[in-house]
Amino acid sequence: MSDCCFEACQSQRLPDPEDETFLAVRNLSVHYGAKVALESVDIDIQRGRVTALIGPSGCGKTSFLFTLNRLSDLIPGCGVGGRVRFEGTEIYSDGVDIGLLRANIGMVFQKPNLFPVSIRKNLYLPLREHGCPVNQLDRRSEEVLREVGLWSEVSDRLDASAHSLSGGQQQRLCIARALTLRPKLLLMDEPCSSLDPMATDVIERLILKMRGEYSIVIVTHNLAQAQRIADDVAVFWCHDESGCVIESGHAEAVFRAPKQPDTVAYLAGQRG
Amino acid sequence: MKTRGATRNDRILLWGLRGASVLASSIVLLIVYFLLAESLPALRRIGIARFVTDGDWLPSTAEGENQYRLVPMLAATLLSTLGAVLIAAPAGLLSAVFCHFYAPKALATLQRRIVELLAGIPSVIYGFWGLVTLVPILQRLAPPGQNLLAGILVLTLMILPTIAMLASATLATIPQAHLQGAAALGLSRWTTLRGVVLPEAAPGLLIALLLGTMRAVGETMAVLMVCGNVVQIPTSLFDPVRTLTANIALEMGYATSEHRSVLFVSGLALMALVVLLIGLQRQFRRSVTLV
Amino acid sequence: MSRSTSRGARAKVADGLVQALVWGTAGTVSAVFLCLVGDLLWHGLAGIDLDFLTQGVERTGRAGGIFPILVSTFLILAVCLAVSIPIGLLTAILLSEFSRRNPTLSRLVGASLDVLAGVPSIVFGLFGNAFFCIALGMGFSILSGGLTLSCMVLPIFIRSVELGLRAVPSDYRLAGAALGMSHTSMLLKILLPAGAPGIAAGLMLGVGRALAETAALMFTSGYADRMPSSLMDSGRALSLHIYDLTQVTGGRPNAYASGVVLVALLLVINLLASWTVEHIVGGRVQRV
């Protein structure tokens, strides 16, 4: 069985990325100290599509997400090997402006993590940081709040504490905050895992609305959710306690006719 | 875009942080350096041996006839500290135990608040209170009243809050489950304390004791005001004594050359004592966290 | 059977004895506290009026007020804070936010602060005299005294600011990093405001320690009881004034009154500190 898995990992080799590839990951590995969390991942992420990362927990999906905007730099003992190429730039090469990279690749976390300041200030902070002129702040804030459908709900209390919002509203404000910088890619780490079904539904519809305009990579444990929102999927699997990607491609193809036995079992709810 | 400037700001910030940290940590080195530099003349010309072998403490007689016997002061410092710790350690522990296991909630809060306030009272006030309240009482027992016992009692009061607060913090870390386990066995409060609480809290209590000792060794004002300041090795609790710290406080004002240098030697000795206690404490803390 | 009953009886006696001992100790501690504060207030309150707070020192403190003493005290405190706040904040930020990137430096700083926190105040006095007064040529002055105190206050201030900053959820740091914010703006706009309670508590603990200090000021800021005309003037701190008054005959009434003023100042600061610690930082700032 483990041989099969090993081969599965190897079977995902992709050729060298072409320059117009939106986001290309080659031979990526992540380790925490001596423990390898993720090995030899090859994936191409397409522009304007929603890519769902699925698989059992502990298989390195979140670790993978953290490498794409180099948030992995902040995790003690975390080392990254291999290549990540975003719009023709190797993001792990020297002289990469990490601030700029993270402005171009936004991120939304499992739990809403708004700053302990007002709703307005939460949106102003990234805008000011990246040089948005003062007279544009209000316009841009309103834009993103309308995009995530929060404007009608909070327009009359922008100066209230962001923590006074409900969980679903907070998560949408987090998305709005990430959108303030007009990111080309939005990373979402199980954005609905702390929300109730109603709030989850709102976020899912929001993701569907954003498709095309934004490129989204979303980690989810919820297969039904992946089926509802994903254009592409990548299936993460564990082998010898380290994760790898065993299968990736168009969502429909993977869900309808999975190639790997582990994927078949996982989708059928028999494993993982 | 602004981001370039931001990374430069970050670099400036980091160097600022490092600069301030180096400055803050160099204070200790500066202290050691100046203590050494000022005591060097005395150490070189008088030598350590004479601080013990000299017959008396006569620091400002005619040139060349000075005597620098530091032993009585050292004895006073050690004895007053020992006495204070012997009383304050059990008392502090009992006060913490009172808050955690015996007192009703309101009383426990009150007691805790009182201990906190006691910790905040400056040493000069303790000294003053000792002088106007404690010393007259002791005077009736054995004149002149300013003596080793007065010093021990005032020091006890001063280090008790330190010990009580740290002991209390240690007791708070004992898992509730262990106490419930003891209660389920029908153990009495005293048996629970002796069998469960004290063994588990022992390392933390020892650290509290070391910190209390440190505070007592270094205390100046209170002992200066109540100990009588006679240079002698005490033969009873009612003898007036002069501690190392009080000696510095009394004589730094007029000391010159060799005399001044000897006072710095006694400062160096205090520093060595304190560093020893801190080293013990750090060592101990490390071994505790390993377990 | 009889053996076990006698053992049980003995345990009961021990239990009772310990209980009596515990209550007795707690009672004694409270009684001594009440006696101390009561005595101070009883004898001291009578001597405090507006004149006492606003007039100059006369006949080496036996008469007159403590106005110049208060001014000197606050000037010394101001110098102390002006130096220790910036250095302390920066060091605390290094320890809480960048210790992983500067492990050696952080360990060294931590160890030296531990030692510094334990240095006896009289040794600070010796050091301040040798370094600030003589080596740097500041003489007996408010400046020397304030700088000496800042050395004393730094470890307390740094440790509580560090704890306050560590108490800020790491979520905010991740969120800020994911938005491409620089460390500088994260600190200024999120971490320092969120860590403000810890900073406030540290500040008050430091001020409390500085106000209470006597021995370190004897040979640094000096005994002059007149109104200081500049920071280079000698100025007598309130705590030192109390000590000095016990050394002159007939000084006790004013020593009591000055003591009440000092304790009142400290009480307010202490209550503010423990209030901030308990209600805002949630008890995460350790008070030693």
Side-chain angles (χ1 to χ4, degrees), chain B residues 2-3 6-7 9-11 13-14 16-18 20-28 30-32 34-35 38 90-92 94-95 97-99 102-104 107 111 113-126 128-129 131-133 136 157 160 162 165-166 188-191 193 211 214 217-221 224-225 245 248-253 260 263-264 266-268 270-271 274-275 278 281-282 285, chain C residues 11 14-15 18-19 21-23 25-27 29-30 32-37 39-40 86-87 89-91 93-94 98 101-102 105 107-127 129-131 134-135 150-151 154 158 180-185 187 189 211-215 218-219 223 239-240 242-243 246-247 252 255-256 259-260 262-263 266-267 270-271 274 278 286-288:
Chain B
K2 213 181 132 199
T3 329
T7 46
N9 283 350
D10 275 2
R11 217 167 302 140
L13 171 78
L14 200 52
L17 300 182
R18 288 188 185 134
S21 308
V22 169
L23 198 63
S25 44
S26 64
I27 296 174
V28 165
L30 276 175
I31 291 178
V32 172
F34 274 93
L35 284 181
E38 297 269 352
L94 287 175
S95 159
V97 164
F98 174 76
C99 288
Y102 285 84
L107 258 183
Q111 173 81 4
R113 197 44 52 89
I114 284 179
V115 167
E116 263 177 46
L117 289 173
L118 274 174
I121 291 178
S123 52
V124 73
I125 300 287
Y126 277 113
F128 180 59
W129 180 78
L131 189 65
V132 294
T133 311
L157 260 187
L160 192 141
T162 310
M165 272 160 46
L166 286 169
S188 73
R189 251 190 311 205
W190 164 234
T191 319
L193 278 177
L211 280 171
M214 213 154 83
V217 166
E219 178 47 38
T220 308
M221 298 317 293
L224 172 66
M225 291 160 89
T245 50
I248 298 173
L250 286 167
E251 300 189 351
M252 255 302 277
R260 178 181 156 91
L263 292 181
F264 272 86
S266 52
L268 199 60
L270 281 172
M271 184 79 182
V274 163
V275 168
I278 292 170
Q281 191 230 107
R282 278 179 75 95
R285 196 164 278 186
Chain C
D15 205 34
V18 171
Q19 177 155 2
L21 206 59
V22 167
W23 279 86
T25 312
V29 170
S30 304
V32 168
F33 172 76
L34 289 181
C35 165
L36 198 157
V37 173
D39 179 67
L40 206 60
I87 298 180
L89 267 184
L90 291 175
T91 308
I93 291 169
L94 182 103
F98 296 92
R101 269 213 255 165
N102 301 273
L105 181 62
R107 233 189 3 259
L108 276 176
V109 173
S112 74
L113 288 179
D114 276 3
V115 177
L116 198 62
V119 173
S121 50
I122 191 82
V123 173
F124 275 107
L126 287 176
F127 162 71
N129 181 274
F131 183 51
I134 295 173
S150 74
C151 299
L154 263 178
I158 291 173
M181 290 176 73
S182 67
H183 289 303
T184 318
S185 34
L187 266 171
K189 289 172 184 159
L211 265 184
E213 187 44 45
T214 314
M218 287 179 145
F219 325 113
Y223 283 87
S239 52
L240 195 51
I242 296 169
Y243 168 68
T246 63
Q247 305 304 107
R252 282 198 186 169
Y256 266 118
V260 171
L262 180 60
V263 170
L266 284 166
L267 217 62
N270 254 284
L271 290 177
S274 59
E278 267 161 42
Q286 188 187 357
R287 301 191 62 210
V288 175

Side-chain angles (χ1 to χ4, degrees), chain A residues 107-114 119 122-123 141-154 157 162 165-180 186 188 191-192 194-196 198-207 209-210:
Chain A
M107 187 160 193
V108 176
F109 296 79
Q110 273 186 32
K111 274 192 297 182
N113 55 1
L114 294 164
I119 297 171
N122 264 287
L123 299 173
S141 301
E142 186 181 333
E143 256 173 44
V144 292
L145 284 174
R146 285 189 191 281
E147 274 186 75
V148 300
L150 261 181
W151 178 251
S152 57
E153 294 165 48
V154 303
R157 49 174 180 145
L165 297 173
S166 74
Q169 286 175 321
Q170 288 199 24
Q171 195 61 302
R172 275 186 287 153
L173 185 55
C174 284
I175 298 175
R177 187 177 63 180
L179 295 185
T180 53
L186 190 58
M188 301 178 115
C192 303
S194 66
L195 303 181
D196 61 64
M198 299 284 280
T200 302
D201 184 52
V202 174
I203 303 259
E204 280 183 19
R205 272 187 282 149
L206 176 60
I207 292 173
K209 204 185 88 188
M210 292 195 297

Side-chain angles (χ1 to χ4, degrees), chain A residues 108-265:
Chain A
V108 176
F109 296 79
Q110 273 186 32
K111 274 192 297 182
N113 55 1
L114 294 164
F115 298 127
V117 290
S118 68
I119 297 171
R120 188 196 303 276
K121 277 294 272 295
N122 264 287
L123 299 173
Y124 279 13
L125 275 169
L127 284 168
R128 298 286 301 137
E129 176 76 15
H130 294 280
C132 175
V134 179
N135 57 10
Q136 303 274 309
L137 291 174
D138 280 326
R139 197 182 52 75
R140 186 73 196 128
S141 301
E142 186 181 333
E143 256 173 44
V144 292
L145 284 174
R146 285 189 191 281
E147 274 186 75
V148 300
L150 261 181
W151 178 251
S152 57
E153 294 165 48
V154 303
S155 62
D156 55 338
R157 49 174 180 145
L158 288 175
D159 291 309
S161 162
H163 288 159
S164 68
L165 297 173
S166 74
Q169 286 175 321
Q170 288 199 24
Q171 195 61 302
R172 275 186 287 153
L173 185 55
C174 284
I175 298 175
R177 187 177 63 180
L179 295 185
T180 53
L181 304 174
R182 295 195 173 92
K184 293 169 182 156
L185 172 63
L186 190 58
L187 309 175
M188 301 178 115
D189 185 11
E190 297 188 48
C192 303
S193 64
S194 66
L195 303 181
D196 61 64
M198 299 284 280
T200 302
D201 184 52
V202 174
I203 303 259
E204 280 183 19
R205 272 187 282 149
L206 176 60
I207 292 173
L208 288 173
K209 204 185 88 188
M210 292 195 297
R211 168 162 59 187
E213 199 177 340
Y214 296 97
S215 317
I216 295 174
V217 177
I218 179 171
V219 172
T220 178
H221 272 128
N222 183 338
L223 281 176
Q225 182 176 60
Q227 265 171 314
R228 286 193 295 270
I229 59 175
D231 300 306
D232 300 315
V233 292
V235 184
F236 282 66
W237 201 255
C238 294
H239 112 273
D240 288 348
E241 294 191 4
S242 75
C244 60
V245 174
I246 52 170
E247 185 159 4
S248 63
H250 286 292
E252 266 180 66
V254 174
F255 281 120
R256 194 179 307 142
K259 295 193 189 76
Q260 298 295 330
D262 281 330
T263 317
V264 177

